[in-house]
Amino acid sequence: MSEPLPLLNQRYGDLAPQLDLSAGGDILQLLLRHRSVRSYLPDPLPEGALETIIAAAQSASTSSNLQVWSVVAVRDPARRDRLAELAGKQAHVRAAPLFLVWLADHARLRQIGADRGQTTEGLDYLEMLLVGVIDAALAAQNAVLALEAMGLASVYIGGLRNQPELVAAELGLPKGVFAVFGMCVGYEDEQHPAQVKPRLPQQAVLHLEQYSLPAQSPAVAGYDRVMAEFYAGQGMAQPDWSSTVMARVRSGRSLSGRDRMTEALRNLGFPLR
Ligand SMILES: Cc1cc2nc3c(=O)[nH]c(=O)nc-3n(C[C@H](O)[C@H](O)[C@H](O)COP(=O)(O)O)c2cc1C
């Protein structure tokens, strides 16, 4: 067997920056090793692992300490089956022993307002939905790092937004709570290991002092070449990254039902003023 490539080459292919990762200790290695995993063993998580992961999630920053997020932990196989269907028939939702649903949650603050007889009109604005979504995402990513440090694996499931009202009904969500994304959690089936997926060269995403769009074209072209090799190595049909992302954003129809998100959010109790 050949030696695995250094982490920076796994992350960027031959367009890797020359960097010394040693200053960051184990945490930098952990960050650069991240992989979304879609093949799981049925083994459950050890006692206390869920609560440890949530402690890490709750340690993320949260806008104004509002903590407008929550999470539903789903272990019941029948419920995971139904959620797998709702998320576009994603088999890994069925396979992983734990499914976490990360929520933007205004219900708690609405309830405090109702209990005190005070208005919560500020929650009616789009800004406050963004706060909930940002809070949920920061918490979830802390959870990913924690579970990876514990030898577990995960994959986010944005497919859960394909049918938001049905997901809300399945999870018993009250008005003002929106499932931002799901997350499969479990032990990777090492018979089908996931690879580190290369990212855009830093020249495309890192701008010094002022933003530049023209500077990105050569970086994107280089990345298309790196990803063409990656896809071929995975036996995947995509010719390159640009073609893949264009298929995703071509039209409203290519959003798998999420083109009606404004309507769905209003149905779920977010006025979006
Ligand atoms: C918010 C979000 C939603 C995602 N939704 C899905 C999904 O529904 N199904 C899936 O298999 N992967 C999903 N992913 C995983 C991405 O496809 C993955 O992160 C990306 O291809 C990069 O690969 P990596 O995480 O292995 O580096 C999602 C990722 C994010 C951040």
Side-chain angles (χ1 to χ4, degrees):
M1 270 220 341
S2 58
E3 276 284 296
L5 286 172
L7 277 179
L8 281 163
N9 292 102
Q10 292 182 50
R11 185 55 75 205
Y12 292 103
D14 58 15
L15 303 174
Q18 298 292 312
L19 300 171
D20 176 11
L21 297 181
S22 62
D26 292 349
I27 186 82
L28 268 184
Q29 308 276 329
L30 183 80
L31 286 165
L32 277 141
R33 264 204 318 266
H34 161 77
R35 300 160 301 122
S36 289
V37 166
R38 298 181 179 82
S39 295
Y40 291 92
L41 301 175
D43 311 18
L45 274 63
E47 187 77 24
L50 171 61
E51 292 76 12
T52 306
I53 291 165
I54 299 307
Q58 288 191 276
S59 299
S61 290
T62 156
S63 187
S64 306
N65 201 25
L66 291 177
Q67 305 180 60
V68 274
W69 67 275
S70 293
V71 59
V72 179
V74 180
R75 291 192 179 102
D76 176 10
R79 177 161 289 119
R80 289 204 324 265
D81 254 10
R82 293 193 292 274
L83 290 170
E85 284 297 305
L86 289 174
K89 302 187 192 301
Q90 298 202 49
H92 31 285
V93 177
R94 217 165 267 132
L98 175 64
F99 190 63
L100 297 177
V101 183
W102 298 90
L103 309 168
D105 184 354
H106 288 181
R108 189 162 44 238
L109 298 195
R110 294 272 193 209
Q111 185 65 50
I112 295 171
D115 292 347
R116 298 171 147 230
Q118 290 175 351
T119 62
T120 49
E121 191 215 335
L123 292 171
D124 293 356
Y125 290 82
L126 171 62
E127 159 62 11
M128 290 306 299
L129 172 65
L130 289 180
V131 169
V133 170
I134 293 166
D135 264 15
L138 296 177
Q141 184 57 25
N142 259 24
V144 167
L145 296 179
L147 67 87
E148 288 183 359
M150 294 158 70
L152 290 155
S154 67
V155 59
Y156 284 93
I157 301 295
L160 211 65
R161 294 193 306 279
N162 293 358
Q163 303 181 71
E165 294 97 330
L166 295 182
V167 168
E170 177 63 47
L171 299 175
L173 305 183
K175 288 280 181 209
V177 182
F178 166 57
V180 181
F181 42 69
M183 183 186 286
C184 305
V185 182
Y187 290 102
E188 181 171 25
D189 177 357
E190 288 173 2
Q191 304 290 333
H192 306 280
Q195 302 301 312
V196 169
K197 189 181 282 184
R199 292 294 194 267
L200 284 162
Q202 293 199 357
Q203 289 79 356
V205 302
L206 171 63
H207 304 266
L208 299 177
E209 307 304 336
Q210 284 204 305
Y211 187 93
S212 168
L213 196 51
Q216 296 182 41
S217 299
V220 169
Y223 186 55
D224 275 337
R225 181 179 51 73
V226 168
M227 285 304 283
E229 267 173 47
F230 178 82
Y231 292 137
Q234 301 279 297
M236 293 165 81
Q238 288 104 309
D240 58 31
W241 180 74
S242 292
S243 314
T244 308
V245 294
M246 285 304 102
R248 188 75 178 77
V249 300
R250 182 172 299 128
S251 67
R253 283 177 63 101
S254 49
L255 299 185
S256 312
R258 297 179 226 170
D259 50 323
R260 58 172 293 279
M261 190 55 71
T262 309
E263 177 194 342
L265 283 164
R266 292 211 165 105
N267 289 341
L268 294 172
F270 295 87
L272 305 183
R273 290 169 64 185

